[in-house]
Amino acid sequence: MRNARPVWLPTLAALVFAALTASLGQWQWRKAELKQALQASDDNARRLPALNWSEVAPLGKAALYRRVRLNGQYAVGFQVLLDNRVLNGRAGYHVVTPLRLDQGGAVLVNRGWREAGLERTRLPVVATPSGRQSIEGILVHAQTRYLELAPGAETGPLWQNLDLERYRAWFQGDMPDWLVLQTSPGAGGPGGDGLIRNWPKPDVGIAKHRSYAVQWFSLCALIVGLWVYFVVVKKTDS
C-alpha cells in the first residue's frame, strides 16, 4: 500500500503563492490606475489657459505641464546643445537657451530639435534671437538625466545632459527648477529658425503596469489550476 501524499503541504504552498501573486497583481493594477489619473491631470493642465510667469511660483508643483507665457531676452553665450536626442529615428540635438525675464531672473527654454549633420564633429549653427522675445511653452522639470559616460566633461556648447546644478554654476544667475518646452513659432515665424518643436506627452508607464498586473494574475490562475488538477482531480482519480 502506497503512503498517502500529504495534501496540506501543496495546499499551503498554493495558498501562499496564489495570495502573493494576486497581491502583486493588484499592486501593479493600482499603480496603473494612479498613473492614469496623473496622466488625466496632466492632459487637463495642458488645456488650461496659459499662465503668466508671475503665476507659476504660487502654484508650485501644480504648475507642472501648464502652458506659460514668457517675456524677456535670451542670454547670448549660454545656449547649449543637448546631444543624442532622437526624433523619428534621426539623431540630433535639443537647443536650450536661458531667457532673462522682464521681471528678473531667468528660465531655461528648450527651443526645439535640430538634426545632426553627417559629420558629428561639426555642430549645427543655431542663432540666438536678439531683442525682446515673447514665447509660449509647456512647463516641465528642468533636471533630465540620461546615461553619462563622463560626468562633468561638458565643454563649450555641447552637453550630454542638462545638469541643472552644473548649469547654474556656469550661468551664475538665479534660475528655477523649471524648463519651458517652447511651442510658439521661433524667430521669423513657423520654421523660421529651423527647429522642430514636437513634444510628445511623457510616458508614465500605464501600459507597463497593466502588463505586469496581467502577468501576476495569470500566474495566480496557473497556481490555482495546478492545485485543482494535482490535489483535487488526481486525488479523485487515484
Side-chain angles (χ1 to χ4, degrees):
M1 181 178 177
R2 294 182 302 172
N3 294 329
R5 290 175 298 176
V7 176
W8 66 268
L9 187 58
T11 299
L12 178 62
L15 180 63
V16 170
F17 285 105
L20 176 62
T21 52
S23 176
L24 290 171
Q26 291 174 352
W27 172 58
Q28 288 291 344
W29 196 264
R30 286 194 299 269
K31 289 185 70 173
E33 290 181 335
L34 179 63
K35 291 194 173 183
Q36 187 171 26
L38 178 62
Q39 183 69 71
S41 176
D42 295 344
D43 292 342
N44 182 62
R46 293 173 186 249
R47 290 191 292 266
L48 293 173
L51 298 169
N52 293 316
W53 186 249
S54 59
E55 300 174 289
V56 171
L59 287 175
K61 293 182 179 179
L64 185 63
Y65 301 126
R66 288 288 301 269
R67 293 185 297 114
V68 292
R69 287 187 296 264
L70 304 176
N71 296 296
Q73 294 189 31
Y74 283 117
V76 178
F78 290 97
Q79 180 168 281
V80 297
L81 303 180
L82 302 184
D83 200 5
N84 296 318
R85 298 321 191 247
V86 178
L87 179 65
N88 299 327
R90 297 177 295 167
Y93 311 94
H94 279 176
V95 181
V96 177
T97 314
L99 184 72
R100 297 189 189 276
L101 302 168
D102 286 350
Q103 59 268 51
V107 63
L108 288 172
V109 178
N110 190 333
R111 295 170 49 209
W113 179 88
R114 169 67 67 86
E115 186 175 9
L118 296 178
E119 298 182 29
R120 293 301 302 272
T121 55
R122 298 181 60 181
L123 297 179
V125 177
V126 183
T128 304
S130 60
R132 189 173 184 271
Q133 306 293 318
S134 295
I135 68 169
E136 285 197 9
I138 300 169
L139 204 60
V140 298
H141 291 302
Q143 194 76 12
T144 55
R145 300 298 298 166
Y146 299 88
L147 176 63
E148 193 170 37
L149 300 178
E154 286 87 352
T155 57
L158 184 63
W159 290 42
Q160 290 185 36
N161 298 313
L162 179 57
D163 186 316
L164 190 56
E165 292 305 317
R166 197 179 303 161
Y167 193 95
R168 281 175 175 146
W170 176 50
F171 185 69
Q172 296 183 348
D174 182 29
M175 187 169 290
D177 297 339
W178 294 114
L179 173 73
V180 176
L181 304 176
Q182 183 177 346
T183 55
S184 56
D193 54 13
L195 300 177
I196 298 175
R197 299 177 180 89
N198 180 15
W199 309 118
K201 294 179 181 178
D203 181 11
V204 294
I206 298 173
K208 177 186 68 175
H209 290 298
R210 284 181 174 165
S211 175
Y212 289 160
V214 169
Q215 291 178 36
W216 284 119
F217 288 142
S218 298
L219 185 56
C220 178
L222 177 62
I223 292 171
V224 173
L226 290 174
W227 178 84
V228 170
Y229 177 75
F230 285 106
V231 175
V232 179
V233 177
K234 295 288 286 185
K235 183 179 179 182
T236 303
D237 292 342
S238 60

